[in-house]
Coordinates of all heavy atoms in Angstrom, one line a residue:
M391 N -63.1 -190.9 -118.2 CA -62.1 -189.9 -117.9 C -61.1 -190.5 -116.9 O -61.4 -191.3 -116.0 CB -62.7 -188.7 -117.3 CG -61.7 -187.6 -117.1 SD -62.3 -186.1 -116.2 CE -63.1 -185.3 -117.6
D392 N -59.8 -190.3 -117.1 CA -58.8 -190.8 -116.3 C -58.9 -190.3 -114.8 O -59.3 -189.2 -114.6 CB -57.4 -190.3 -116.9 CG -56.2 -190.8 -116.2 OD1 -56.3 -192.0 -115.8 OD2 -55.3 -190.1 -116.0
K393 N -58.6 -191.2 -113.9 CA -58.8 -190.9 -112.5 C -58.0 -189.7 -112.1 O -58.4 -188.8 -111.3 CB -58.4 -192.1 -111.7 CG -58.5 -191.9 -110.2 CD -59.9 -191.9 -109.7 CE -59.9 -192.0 -108.2 NZ -61.0 -191.2 -107.6
I394 N -56.7 -189.6 -112.6 CA -55.9 -188.4 -112.2 C -56.6 -187.1 -112.7 O -56.6 -186.2 -111.9 CB -54.5 -188.6 -112.8 CG1 -53.7 -189.8 -112.2 CG2 -53.7 -187.3 -112.7 CD1 -52.4 -190.1 -112.9
L395 N -57.1 -187.1 -113.9 CA -57.7 -185.9 -114.4 C -59.0 -185.6 -113.7 O -59.3 -184.4 -113.4 CB -58.0 -186.1 -115.9 CG -56.7 -186.2 -116.8 CD1 -57.1 -186.3 -118.2 CD2 -55.9 -184.9 -116.6
K396 N -59.8 -186.6 -113.3 CA -61.0 -186.3 -112.5 C -60.7 -185.7 -111.2 O -61.3 -184.7 -110.8 CB -61.8 -187.6 -112.3 CG -62.5 -188.1 -113.5 CD -63.1 -189.5 -113.3 CE -64.3 -189.5 -112.4 NZ -65.0 -190.8 -112.4
D397 N -59.7 -186.2 -110.5 CA -59.3 -185.6 -109.2 C -58.8 -184.2 -109.3 O -59.1 -183.4 -108.5 CB -58.3 -186.6 -108.4 CG -58.9 -187.9 -108.0 OD1 -60.2 -187.9 -107.9 OD2 -58.2 -188.8 -107.7
S398 N -57.9 -184.0 -110.3 CA -57.3 -182.7 -110.5 C -58.4 -181.7 -110.9 O -58.3 -180.6 -110.4 CB -56.1 -182.8 -111.5 OG -56.6 -183.0 -112.8
K399 N -59.3 -182.1 -111.7 CA -60.4 -181.2 -112.2 C -61.2 -180.8 -111.0 O -61.6 -179.7 -110.8 CB -61.2 -181.9 -113.3 CG -62.3 -181.0 -113.8 CD -62.3 -181.1 -115.3 CE -63.3 -180.2 -115.9 NZ -62.9 -178.9 -116.3
A400 N -61.5 -181.8 -110.1 CA -62.4 -181.5 -108.9 C -61.7 -180.5 -108.0 O -62.3 -179.6 -107.5 CB -62.6 -182.8 -108.2
L401 N -60.3 -180.7 -107.8 CA -59.6 -179.8 -106.9 C -59.5 -178.4 -107.6 O -59.7 -177.4 -106.9 CB -58.2 -180.4 -106.7 CG -57.3 -179.5 -105.8 CD1 -57.9 -179.3 -104.4 CD2 -55.9 -180.2 -105.6
Q402 N -59.2 -178.4 -108.9 CA -59.1 -177.1 -109.6 C -60.4 -176.4 -109.6 O -60.5 -175.2 -109.3 CB -58.8 -177.4 -111.1 CG -58.3 -176.2 -111.9 CD -57.9 -176.7 -113.2 OE1 -58.6 -177.3 -114.0 NE2 -56.6 -176.3 -113.6
E403 N -61.6 -177.1 -109.8 CA -62.9 -176.4 -109.7 C -63.1 -175.8 -108.3 O -63.7 -174.7 -108.2 CB -64.0 -177.3 -110.1 CG -64.0 -177.6 -111.6 CD -65.1 -178.6 -112.0 OE1 -65.9 -179.1 -111.1 OE2 -65.1 -179.0 -113.2
K404 N -62.8 -176.6 -107.3 CA -63.0 -176.1 -105.9 C -62.2 -174.9 -105.6 O -62.7 -173.8 -105.1 CB -62.7 -177.2 -104.9 CG -62.9 -176.8 -103.5 CD -64.3 -176.4 -103.3 CE -64.5 -175.7 -101.9 NZ -65.7 -174.9 -101.9
L405 N -60.9 -174.9 -106.0 CA -60.0 -173.8 -105.8 C -60.4 -172.6 -106.6 O -60.3 -171.4 -106.2 CB -58.6 -174.2 -106.0 CG -58.0 -175.1 -105.0 CD1 -56.6 -175.6 -105.4 CD2 -58.0 -174.6 -103.6
N406 N -60.9 -172.8 -107.8 CA -61.3 -171.7 -108.7 C -62.6 -171.0 -108.2 O -62.9 -169.9 -108.6 CB -61.5 -172.1 -110.1 CG -60.2 -172.4 -110.8 OD1 -59.2 -171.8 -110.4 ND2 -60.2 -173.2 -111.9
S407 N -63.3 -171.6 -107.2 CA -64.5 -171.0 -106.7 C -64.1 -170.0 -105.6 O -65.0 -169.2 -105.2 CB -65.4 -172.1 -106.1 OG -64.8 -172.6 -104.9
F408 N -62.9 -169.9 -105.2 CA -62.4 -169.0 -104.2 C -61.9 -167.7 -104.9 O -61.6 -167.7 -106.1 CB -61.2 -169.5 -103.4 CG -61.5 -170.7 -102.6 CD1 -60.6 -171.7 -102.4 CD2 -62.7 -170.9 -102.0 CE1 -60.8 -172.8 -101.6 CE2 -63.0 -172.0 -101.3 CZ -62.1 -173.0 -101.0
S409 N -61.8 -166.6 -104.2 CA -61.1 -165.4 -104.7 C -59.6 -165.7 -104.8 O -59.1 -166.7 -104.3 CB -61.3 -164.2 -103.8 OG -60.6 -164.4 -102.6
R410 N -59.0 -164.8 -105.5 CA -57.5 -165.0 -105.7 C -56.7 -165.2 -104.4 O -55.9 -166.1 -104.3 CB -57.0 -163.9 -106.6 CG -55.5 -164.1 -107.0 CD -55.1 -163.0 -107.9 NE -53.8 -163.3 -108.4 CZ -53.3 -162.9 -109.6 NH1 -54.1 -162.2 -110.4 NH2 -52.1 -163.2 -109.9
A411 N -57.0 -164.3 -103.5 CA -56.4 -164.4 -102.2 C -56.7 -165.6 -101.4 O -55.8 -166.3 -100.8 CB -56.7 -163.1 -101.3
E412 N -58.0 -166.0 -101.4 CA -58.4 -167.2 -100.7 C -57.8 -168.5 -101.4 O -57.4 -169.4 -100.7 CB -59.9 -167.4 -100.8 CG -60.7 -166.4 -100.0 CD -62.2 -166.4 -100.2 OE1 -62.6 -166.8 -101.3 OE2 -62.9 -166.1 -99.2
K413 N -57.6 -168.5 -102.7 CA -57.0 -169.6 -103.4 C -55.6 -169.7 -103.0 O -55.1 -170.8 -102.8 CB -57.1 -169.4 -104.9 CG -56.6 -170.5 -105.8 CD -56.8 -170.3 -107.2 CE -56.2 -171.4 -108.1 NZ -56.5 -171.2 -109.5
T414 N -54.8 -168.6 -103.0 CA -53.4 -168.7 -102.6 C -53.3 -169.2 -101.2 O -52.4 -170.0 -100.9 CB -52.8 -167.2 -102.7 OG1 -53.0 -166.8 -104.0 CG2 -51.4 -167.2 -102.3
L415 N -54.2 -168.7 -100.3 CA -54.1 -169.2 -98.9 C -54.5 -170.7 -98.8 O -53.8 -171.4 -98.1 CB -55.1 -168.4 -98.0 CG -55.2 -168.7 -96.6 CD1 -53.8 -168.5 -95.9 CD2 -56.2 -167.9 -95.8
A416 N -55.4 -171.1 -99.5 CA -55.8 -172.5 -99.6 C -54.7 -173.4 -100.0 O -54.4 -174.5 -99.5 CB -57.1 -172.7 -100.4
I417 N -54.0 -173.0 -101.1 CA -52.8 -173.7 -101.6 C -51.7 -173.8 -100.6 O -51.1 -174.9 -100.4 CB -52.3 -173.1 -102.9 CG1 -53.4 -173.4 -104.0 CG2 -51.0 -173.7 -103.3 CD1 -53.1 -172.7 -105.3
E418 N -51.5 -172.7 -99.9 CA -50.5 -172.7 -98.8 C -50.9 -173.7 -97.7 O -50.1 -174.4 -97.1 CB -50.3 -171.3 -98.2 CG -49.6 -170.4 -99.1 CD -48.1 -170.8 -99.3 OE1 -47.5 -171.3 -98.3 OE2 -47.6 -170.5 -100.4
R419 N -52.2 -173.7 -97.3 CA -52.7 -174.5 -96.2 C -52.6 -176.0 -96.6 O -52.3 -176.9 -95.8 CB -54.1 -174.1 -95.8 CG -54.1 -172.8 -95.1 CD -55.5 -172.3 -94.7 NE -56.5 -173.3 -94.4 CZ -57.7 -173.3 -94.7 NH1 -58.2 -172.2 -95.3 NH2 -58.6 -174.3 -94.4
I420 N -52.9 -176.3 -97.9 CA -52.8 -177.7 -98.4 C -51.4 -178.1 -98.4 O -51.1 -179.2 -98.0 CB -53.4 -177.8 -99.8 CG1 -55.0 -177.6 -99.8 CG2 -53.1 -179.1 -100.5 CD1 -55.6 -177.4 -101.1
S421 N -50.5 -177.3 -98.8 CA -49.1 -177.6 -98.9 C -48.6 -177.9 -97.5 O -47.9 -178.9 -97.3 CB -48.3 -176.4 -99.5 OG -46.9 -176.6 -99.4
A422 N -48.9 -177.1 -96.5 CA -48.4 -177.3 -95.1 C -49.1 -178.5 -94.5 O -48.5 -179.3 -93.8 CB -48.7 -176.0 -94.3
G423 N -50.4 -178.6 -94.7 CA -51.1 -179.7 -94.1 C -50.7 -181.1 -94.7 O -50.7 -182.1 -93.9
C424 N -50.4 -181.2 -95.9 CA -50.0 -182.4 -96.6 C -48.5 -182.6 -96.5 O -48.0 -183.7 -96.9 CB -50.5 -182.5 -98.0 SG -52.3 -182.6 -98.2
M425 N -47.8 -181.6 -96.0 CA -46.3 -181.6 -95.9 C -45.7 -181.9 -97.2 O -44.8 -182.8 -97.3 CB -45.9 -182.6 -94.8 CG -46.3 -182.2 -93.4 SD -45.7 -183.2 -92.1 CE -46.9 -184.6 -92.2
V426 N -46.1 -181.2 -98.2 CA -45.5 -181.3 -99.6 C -45.2 -179.9 -100.0 O -45.8 -178.9 -99.6 CB -46.5 -182.0 -100.6 CG1 -46.7 -183.4 -100.2 CG2 -47.8 -181.2 -100.7
P427 N -44.2 -179.8 -101.0 CA -44.0 -178.4 -101.5 C -45.1 -177.9 -102.3 O -46.0 -178.7 -102.8 CB -42.8 -178.6 -102.4 CG -42.4 -180.1 -102.3 CD -43.4 -180.8 -101.5
R428 N -45.2 -176.6 -102.5 CA -46.3 -175.9 -103.2 C -46.3 -176.5 -104.7 O -47.3 -176.6 -105.3 CB -46.1 -174.4 -103.3 CG -47.0 -173.7 -102.3 CD -47.1 -172.2 -102.5 NE -46.0 -171.7 -103.4 CZ -45.3 -170.7 -103.2 NH1 -45.4 -170.0 -102.0 NH2 -44.4 -170.2 -104.0
R429 N -45.1 -176.8 -105.2 CA -45.0 -177.3 -106.6 C -45.8 -178.6 -106.7 O -46.5 -178.8 -107.7 CB -43.5 -177.6 -106.9 CG -43.3 -178.2 -108.3 CD -41.9 -178.6 -108.5 NE -41.0 -177.4 -108.2 CZ -39.7 -177.5 -108.0 NH1 -39.1 -178.7 -108.1 NH2 -39.0 -176.5 -107.8
T430 N -45.8 -179.4 -105.7 CA -46.6 -180.7 -105.7 C -48.1 -180.4 -105.8 O -48.8 -181.0 -106.5 CB -46.3 -181.6 -104.5 OG1 -44.9 -181.9 -104.5 CG2 -47.1 -182.9 -104.5
V431 N -48.5 -179.4 -105.0 CA -49.9 -179.0 -105.0 C -50.3 -178.5 -106.4 O -51.4 -178.9 -106.9 CB -50.3 -178.0 -103.9 CG1 -51.7 -177.5 -104.0 CG2 -49.9 -178.5 -102.5
Y432 N -49.5 -177.7 -107.0 CA -49.8 -177.3 -108.4 C -49.8 -178.4 -109.4 O -50.6 -178.5 -110.3 CB -48.8 -176.2 -108.8 CG -49.1 -174.8 -108.2 CD1 -48.2 -174.3 -107.2 CD2 -50.2 -174.1 -108.6 CE1 -48.5 -173.1 -106.6 CE2 -50.5 -172.9 -108.0 CZ -49.6 -172.4 -107.1 OH -49.9 -171.2 -106.5
N433 N -48.9 -179.4 -109.2 CA -48.9 -180.6 -110.0 C -50.2 -181.4 -109.9 O -50.7 -181.9 -110.9 CB -47.7 -181.5 -109.7 CG -46.4 -181.0 -110.2 OD1 -46.4 -180.1 -111.1 ND2 -45.3 -181.5 -109.7
W434 N -50.7 -181.4 -108.7 CA -52.0 -182.1 -108.4 C -53.1 -181.3 -109.2 O -54.0 -181.9 -109.8 CB -52.4 -182.1 -106.9 CG -51.5 -183.0 -106.1 CD1 -50.8 -184.1 -106.6 CD2 -51.3 -183.0 -104.7 NE1 -50.1 -184.7 -105.5 CE2 -50.5 -184.1 -104.4 CE3 -51.9 -182.2 -103.7 CZ2 -50.1 -184.3 -103.1 CZ3 -51.5 -182.5 -102.4 CH2 -50.6 -183.5 -102.1
I435 N -53.1 -180.0 -109.0 CA -54.2 -179.1 -109.6 C -54.2 -179.3 -111.1 O -55.3 -179.4 -111.7 CB -53.9 -177.6 -109.2 CG1 -54.2 -177.4 -107.7 CG2 -54.9 -176.7 -110.0 CD1 -53.7 -176.1 -107.2
Y436 N -53.0 -179.3 -111.8 CA -53.0 -179.4 -113.2 C -52.9 -180.8 -113.8 O -52.6 -181.0 -115.0 CB -51.8 -178.5 -113.7 CG -52.1 -177.1 -113.4 CD1 -51.3 -176.4 -112.5 CD2 -53.1 -176.4 -113.9 CE1 -51.5 -175.1 -112.1 CE2 -53.4 -175.1 -113.6 CZ -52.6 -174.4 -112.7 OH -52.9 -173.1 -112.4
G437 N -53.0 -181.8 -112.9 CA -53.1 -183.2 -113.4 C -51.8 -183.8 -113.8 O -51.8 -184.8 -114.6
L438 N -50.7 -183.3 -113.3 CA -49.4 -183.8 -113.7 C -48.9 -185.0 -112.9 O -48.0 -185.7 -113.3 CB -48.3 -182.7 -113.6 CG -48.6 -181.5 -114.5 CD1 -47.6 -180.4 -114.2 CD2 -48.6 -181.8 -115.9
C439 N -49.6 -185.2 -111.7 CA -49.3 -186.4 -110.9 C -50.6 -186.7 -110.1 O -51.5 -185.9 -109.9 CB -48.1 -186.2 -110.0 SG -48.2 -184.9 -108.8
R440 N -50.6 -187.9 -109.6 CA -51.8 -188.4 -108.9 C -51.8 -187.9 -107.5 O -50.8 -187.7 -106.9 CB -51.7 -190.0 -108.8 CG -52.8 -190.7 -108.2 CD -52.5 -192.2 -108.1 NE -51.3 -192.6 -107.4 CZ -51.3 -192.7 -106.1 NH1 -52.4 -192.5 -105.4 NH2 -50.2 -193.1 -105.5
I441 N -53.0 -187.6 -107.0 CA -53.2 -187.2 -105.6 C -53.4 -188.5 -104.7 O -54.4 -189.2 -104.9 CB -54.4 -186.3 -105.4 CG1 -54.3 -185.1 -106.4 CG2 -54.5 -185.8 -104.0 CD1 -55.6 -184.3 -106.4
P442 N -52.4 -188.8 -103.8 CA -52.6 -190.0 -103.0 C -53.9 -189.9 -102.1 O -54.3 -188.8 -101.7 CB -51.3 -189.9 -102.1 CG -50.4 -189.1 -102.8 CD -51.2 -188.1 -103.6
A443 N -54.5 -191.0 -101.8 CA -55.7 -191.1 -101.1 C -55.6 -190.4 -99.7 O -56.6 -189.7 -99.3 CB -56.1 -192.5 -100.9
L444 N -54.5 -190.6 -99.0 CA -54.4 -189.9 -97.7 C -54.4 -188.4 -97.8 O -54.9 -187.7 -97.0 CB -53.1 -190.4 -97.0 CG -53.1 -191.7 -96.4 CD1 -51.8 -192.1 -95.8 CD2 -54.2 -191.8 -95.3
H445 N -53.8 -187.9 -98.9 CA -53.7 -186.5 -99.1 C -55.1 -186.0 -99.5 O -55.5 -184.8 -99.2 CB -52.7 -186.1 -100.2 CG -51.3 -186.3 -99.7 ND1 -50.8 -185.7 -98.6 CD2 -50.3 -187.0 -100.2 CE1 -49.5 -186.1 -98.4 NE2 -49.2 -186.9 -99.3
K446 N -55.9 -186.8 -100.3 CA -57.2 -186.3 -100.6 C -58.1 -186.1 -99.4 O -58.8 -185.1 -99.2 CB -57.9 -187.4 -101.5 CG -57.4 -187.5 -102.9 CD -58.2 -188.6 -103.6 CE -57.5 -189.0 -104.9 NZ -58.2 -190.1 -105.5
C447 N -57.9 -187.0 -98.4 CA -58.7 -186.9 -97.1 C -58.2 -185.6 -96.4 O -59.0 -184.9 -95.9 CB -58.5 -188.1 -96.2 SG -59.2 -189.6 -96.9
K448 N -56.9 -185.4 -96.4 CA -56.4 -184.2 -95.7 C -56.8 -182.9 -96.4 O -57.2 -181.9 -95.8 CB -54.8 -184.3 -95.7 CG -54.2 -183.2 -94.9 CD -54.6 -183.4 -93.4 CE -53.9 -182.3 -92.5 NZ -54.3 -182.4 -91.1
I449 N -56.9 -182.9 -97.8 CA -57.3 -181.7 -98.5 C -58.8 -181.4 -98.2 O -59.1 -180.3 -97.9 CB -57.1 -181.9 -100.0 CG1 -55.6 -181.9 -100.4 CG2 -57.9 -180.9 -100.8 CD1 -55.3 -182.4 -101.8
E450 N -59.6 -182.4 -98.1 CA -61.0 -182.2 -97.8 C -61.1 -181.7 -96.4 O -62.0 -180.9 -96.1 CB -61.8 -183.5 -98.0 CG -62.0 -183.9 -99.5 CD -62.7 -185.1 -99.7 OE1 -62.9 -186.0 -98.8 OE2 -63.2 -185.3 -100.8
E451 N -60.3 -182.2 -95.5 CA -60.3 -181.7 -94.1 C -59.9 -180.3 -94.0 O -60.5 -179.5 -93.3 CB -59.4 -182.6 -93.2 CG -59.3 -182.2 -91.8 CD -58.3 -183.0 -91.0 OE1 -58.2 -184.3 -91.3 OE2 -57.5 -182.5 -90.3
I452 N -58.9 -179.9 -94.8 CA -58.4 -178.5 -94.8 C -59.5 -177.6 -95.4 O -59.7 -176.5 -94.8 CB -57.1 -178.4 -95.6 CG1 -56.0 -179.1 -94.8 CG2 -56.7 -177.0 -95.9 CD1 -54.7 -179.3 -95.6
L453 N -60.1 -178.0 -96.5 CA -61.1 -177.1 -97.2 C -62.4 -177.2 -96.5 O -63.3 -176.3 -96.7 CB -61.2 -177.5 -98.6 CG -60.0 -177.4 -99.5 CD1 -60.2 -177.8 -100.9 CD2 -59.5 -175.9 -99.5
G454 N -62.6 -178.2 -95.6 CA -63.9 -178.2 -94.8 C -65.1 -178.8 -95.6 O -66.2 -178.5 -95.1
E455 N -64.9 -179.4 -96.7 CA -66.0 -180.0 -97.5 C -65.5 -181.0 -98.4 O -64.3 -181.2 -98.7 CB -66.8 -178.9 -98.2 CG -66.0 -178.1 -99.2 CD -66.8 -177.0 -99.8 OE1 -66.8 -175.9 -99.2 OE2 -67.4 -177.2 -100.8
H456 N -66.5 -181.8 -98.9 CA -66.3 -182.9 -99.8 C -65.8 -182.4 -101.2 O -66.5 -181.5 -101.8 CB -67.5 -183.8 -99.9 CG -67.4 -185.0 -100.8 ND1 -66.7 -186.1 -100.4 CD2 -67.8 -185.3 -102.0 CE1 -66.7 -187.0 -101.3 NE2 -67.4 -186.5 -102.3
V457 N -64.7 -182.8 -101.7 CA -64.2 -182.4 -103.0 C -64.1 -183.5 -104.0 O -64.5 -183.4 -105.1 CB -62.8 -181.7 -102.8 CG1 -62.2 -181.3 -104.2 CG2 -62.8 -180.5 -101.9
F458 N -63.6 -184.6 -103.5 CA -63.4 -185.8 -104.4 C -64.5 -186.8 -104.3 O -65.1 -187.0 -103.3 CB -62.0 -186.4 -104.1 CG -60.9 -185.5 -104.1 CD1 -60.4 -185.0 -102.9 CD2 -60.3 -185.0 -105.3 CE1 -59.3 -184.1 -102.9 CE2 -59.3 -184.1 -105.3 CZ -58.8 -183.7 -104.1
N459 N -64.7 -187.5 -105.4 CA -65.6 -188.6 -105.4 C -64.9 -189.9 -105.0 O -64.5 -190.7 -105.8 CB -66.2 -188.7 -106.8 CG -67.4 -189.7 -106.9 OD1 -67.9 -190.1 -105.9 ND2 -67.7 -190.2 -108.1
T460 N -64.8 -190.1 -103.7 CA -64.1 -191.2 -103.2 C -65.1 -192.1 -102.5 O -66.1 -191.7 -102.0 CB -63.0 -190.8 -102.2 OG1 -63.6 -190.0 -101.1 CG2 -61.9 -190.0 -102.8
V461 N -64.7 -193.4 -102.4 CA -65.5 -194.4 -101.8 C -64.8 -194.7 -100.5 O -63.6 -195.0 -100.4 CB -65.6 -195.7 -102.6 CG1 -66.3 -196.8 -101.9 CG2 -66.2 -195.4 -104.0
T462 N -65.6 -194.7 -99.4 CA -65.0 -195.1 -98.1 C -65.6 -196.4 -97.7 O -66.7 -196.8 -97.9 CB -65.4 -194.0 -97.0 OG1 -66.8 -193.9 -97.0 CG2 -64.8 -192.7 -97.3
F463 N -64.7 -197.2 -97.1 CA -65.1 -198.6 -96.6 C -65.4 -198.5 -95.1 O -64.6 -197.9 -94.4 CB -64.0 -199.6 -96.9 CG -63.7 -199.7 -98.4 CD1 -62.7 -199.0 -99.0 CD2 -64.5 -200.5 -99.2 CE1 -62.5 -199.1 -100.4 CE2 -64.3 -200.7 -100.5 CZ -63.3 -200.0 -101.1
V464 N -66.4 -199.2 -94.8 CA -66.8 -199.3 -93.3 C -66.6 -200.7 -92.9 O -67.1 -201.6 -93.5 CB -68.3 -198.8 -93.2 CG1 -68.7 -198.9 -91.7 CG2 -68.5 -197.4 -93.7
E465 N -65.9 -200.9 -91.8 CA -65.7 -202.2 -91.2 C -67.0 -202.7 -90.5 O -67.7 -201.9 -89.9 CB -64.6 -202.2 -90.2 CG -63.2 -202.2 -90.8 CD -62.2 -202.4 -89.8 OE1 -62.3 -203.3 -88.9 OE2 -61.1 -201.7 -89.9
K466 N -67.3 -204.0 -90.6 CA -68.5 -204.5 -90.0 C -68.1 -205.3 -88.7 O -67.0 -205.7 -88.6 CB -69.2 -205.5 -90.9 CG -69.8 -204.7 -92.0 CD -70.7 -205.7 -92.9 CE -71.3 -204.9 -94.0 NZ -72.2 -205.8 -94.7

């Protein structure tokens, strides 16, 4: 599966687990936290564009849990 689709599906599934009001609030918080328009967040949700790695980290921070299957590198 394409990386863009995997990430968008993960975000979509997480947001769909919320009630309608919570989902709207989460999208607003993601938009504000990532400093992007709501349209961009919807593009991420529906797989129309890639979610940058820094924004993935911010989205997980905003939602308070792990959403994406990302690999983190640790310096030795």
Side-chain angles (χ1 to χ4, degrees):
M391 184 185 281
D392 186 37
K393 178 74 171 147
I394 293 173
L395 293 178
K396 284 173 74 173
D397 290 341
S398 68
K399 184 134 178 95
L401 180 57
Q402 191 175 58
E403 286 177 5
K404 180 60 191 163
L405 291 174
N406 285 339
S407 71
F408 297 147
S409 71
R410 186 176 186 149
E412 290 173 330
K413 182 177 180 179
T414 302
L415 182 60
I417 290 170
E418 286 293 325
R419 289 178 32 218
I420 291 169
S421 174
C424 294
M425 293 184 282
V426 296
R428 262 194 344 231
R429 178 184 307 162
T430 301
V431 178
Y432 284 109
N433 286 342
W434 292 341
I435 293 169
Y436 297 113
L438 299 176
C439 63
R440 182 181 63 83
I441 306 171
L444 285 175
H445 291 303
K446 288 181 196 176
C447 294
K448 188 65 176 176
I449 290 168
E450 289 179 341
E451 180 182 316
I452 290 167
L453 297 178
E455 60 187 86
H456 183 73
V457 177
F458 305 102
N459 188 16
T460 56
V461 177
T462 55
F463 296 97
V464 178
E465 283 188 41
K466 291 185 178 185

